């Protein structure tokens, strides 16, 4: 019976991991690199567990950080769809240094779709995090963080 207690949060965390990994996942699946997509899923899930120890008393703060990061995922999908380039630090810097006129020239009316996708992805993650616990014990926080670290 204790298995059922952890199965639902694991399922929700798996969905959150897929959503956060979405730009990389789309790139790997478009280029038929399935082993990187699968390993990336487990790496992201492990990375999501590491900061749990810092927020064990109020996980809502951690959830809000994840919501903000997830809201940026549609922007990170732009290089994948337009140029078939994996998202990296240089590409993120290039996107962030772009001015309004260049964005409108490149995206046109599709910019509205990106903004709507940002709001929708943030809303989906907000709804998913409402299903997760908002507070855990220190012992569980330590165990989850150690499990995330030992996954590597």
């Amino acid at each position: 019976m204790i298995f059922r207690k952890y199965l639902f949060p694991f399922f929700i965390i798996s969905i959150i991991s897929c959503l956060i990994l979405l730009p990389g996942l789309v790139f790997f699946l478009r280029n038929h690199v399935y082993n990187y997509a699968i390993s990336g899923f487990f790496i992201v899930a492990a990375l999501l567990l590491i900061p749990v120890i810092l927020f064990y008393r109020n996980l809502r703060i951690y959830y809000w950080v994840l919501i903000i990061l997830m809201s940026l995922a549609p922007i990170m999908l732009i290089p994948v769809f337009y140029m078939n380039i994996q998202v990296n630090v240089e590409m993120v810097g290039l996107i962030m240094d772009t001015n309004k006129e260049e964005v409108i020239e490149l995206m046109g009316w599709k910019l509205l779709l990106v903004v709507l996708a940002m709001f929708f992805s943030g809303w989906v993650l907000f709804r998913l995090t409402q299903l997760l616990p908002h507070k855990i014990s220190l012992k569980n926080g330590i165990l989850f963080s150690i499990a995330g670290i030992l996954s590597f």
Side-chain angles (χ1 to χ4, degrees), residues 13-105:
I13 290 172
S14 298
I15 293 172
I16 292 171
S17 299
C18 284
L19 290 175
I20 291 176
L21 179 66
L22 190 64
L25 196 62
V26 169
F27 175 77
F28 293 136
L29 293 178
R30 282 184 73 182
N31 293 309
H32 308 290
V33 187
Y34 302 112
N35 58 344
Y36 282 4
I38 294 169
S39 64
F41 169 77
F42 289 109
I43 290 171
V44 167
L47 286 174
L48 288 176
L49 291 176
I50 293 173
V52 169
I53 187 63
L54 301 173
F55 301 102
Y56 75 96
R57 286 191 182 187
N58 193 358
L59 287 172
R60 289 181 189 164
I61 297 170
Y62 183 53
Y63 297 155
W64 279 106
V65 170
L66 289 178
I67 289 169
I68 292 169
L69 291 176
M70 182 56 215
S71 295
L72 298 176
I75 294 174
M76 297 305 132
L77 283 170
I78 293 171
V80 175
F81 285 128
Y82 274 105
M83 298 171 275
N84 198 24
I85 297 174
Q86 185 178 11
V87 178
N88 54 25
V89 176
E90 292 84 16
M91 189 57 62
V92 172
L94 185 65
I95 290 173
M96 295 302 166
D97 286 340
T98 304
N99 62 21
K100 182 178 77 171
E101 289 79 22
E102 291 173 345
V103 170
I104 292 173
E105 181 182 337

